Amino acid sequence: MLVTSLALGTDLAGVYRVLQSALGPLNILSASIATSFGMDSWKLTSRSELQRLRTRTVRLGLILTLSSIAYLAVAEPLVIAITGIGHDQLIRVALIVAFAGLLGAATIPFNSAALSLGYQHLGVVLRLVIVSAALAVSILSAASVWVPWDDPIGTTTVVSASVGFAGWLLAFFYAMRREGNRLS
């Protein structure tokens, strides 16, 4: 965000940064859930344990998604009120940050389950895709090529959150199927 604000002269970087501070508790939750899934990974040696993992993951994904909607509906307006930030594009930025936070929260259980099954290498692939997309958006924007909303930070945020969610969801189902086949 700092590089974007300096290189492209956008004042949106500060607005994004302030609003992203509302996502802090969701990040703490992410680390806690990943640790709890990892602590139980030694149990994943039977089809019934894999089924319990699937049930736990999907249930937790639904709970986190719904609770994140409620949390973000309170947290973002509170951060805006406390900090007093204002911008003509504040609503759009707030929606983008909320979208990223919501997808991030929904991703947590799928990411954690895939990692507990030993599929960390898929995370490397996802990171490479996300970094490549961020670089592409930055290069296009620096070259004065149109990016959605004419906002490289927002575009990168939406792409990163979407790729992360879709990638970890696919990784989870791939890992479940593969591990289920190994136990057959």
Side-chain angles (χ1 to χ4, degrees):
M1 286 184 223
L2 176 63
V3 171
T4 302
S5 63
L6 293 176
L8 303 176
T10 178
D11 57 346
L12 285 176
V15 177
Y16 274 102
R17 186 64 212 123
V18 169
L19 286 176
Q20 285 179 338
S21 67
L23 302 180
L26 294 178
N27 295 332
I28 294 167
L29 188 62
S30 173
S32 301
I33 289 172
T35 300
S36 75
F37 272 67
M39 290 172 56
D40 291 339
S41 64
W42 64 274
K43 297 178 186 176
L44 302 173
T45 58
S46 70
R47 285 182 113 359
S48 64
E49 288 297 327
L50 281 179
Q51 185 56 40
R52 279 192 205 120
L53 177 65
R54 178 188 308 271
T55 302
R56 178 183 180 198
T57 302
V58 171
R59 184 179 303 135
L60 190 55
L62 180 61
I63 290 168
L64 286 174
T65 298
L66 295 175
S67 60
S68 293
I69 291 170
Y71 168 76
L72 288 165
V74 172
E76 276 193 342
L78 189 60
V79 167
I80 291 168
I82 290 171
T83 61
I85 62 169
H87 196 280
D88 60 335
Q89 298 179 41
L90 181 63
I91 292 173
R92 181 182 52 77
V93 171
L95 289 173
I96 288 172
V97 172
F99 175 79
L102 179 63
L103 282 188
T107 302
I108 293 167
F110 298 101
N111 170 314
S112 299
L115 294 177
S116 72
L117 289 167
Y119 286 78
Q120 290 82 354
H121 62 283
L122 297 176
V124 173
V125 173
L126 285 172
R127 290 286 182 192
L128 288 174
V129 170
I130 290 169
V131 168
S132 297
L135 286 172
V137 169
S138 296
I139 291 168
L140 290 173
S141 187
S144 297
V145 175
W146 180 84
V147 295
W149 311 292
D150 197 28
D151 179 4
I153 298 170
T155 301
T156 301
T157 300
V158 168
V159 169
S160 298
S162 300
V163 168
F165 176 73
W168 281 114
L169 191 67
L170 291 173
F172 167 72
F173 286 111
Y174 169 76
M176 290 296 291
R177 188 181 75 224
R178 189 159 182 207
E179 293 304 309
N181 289 341
R182 286 182 181 179
L183 293 173
S184 295

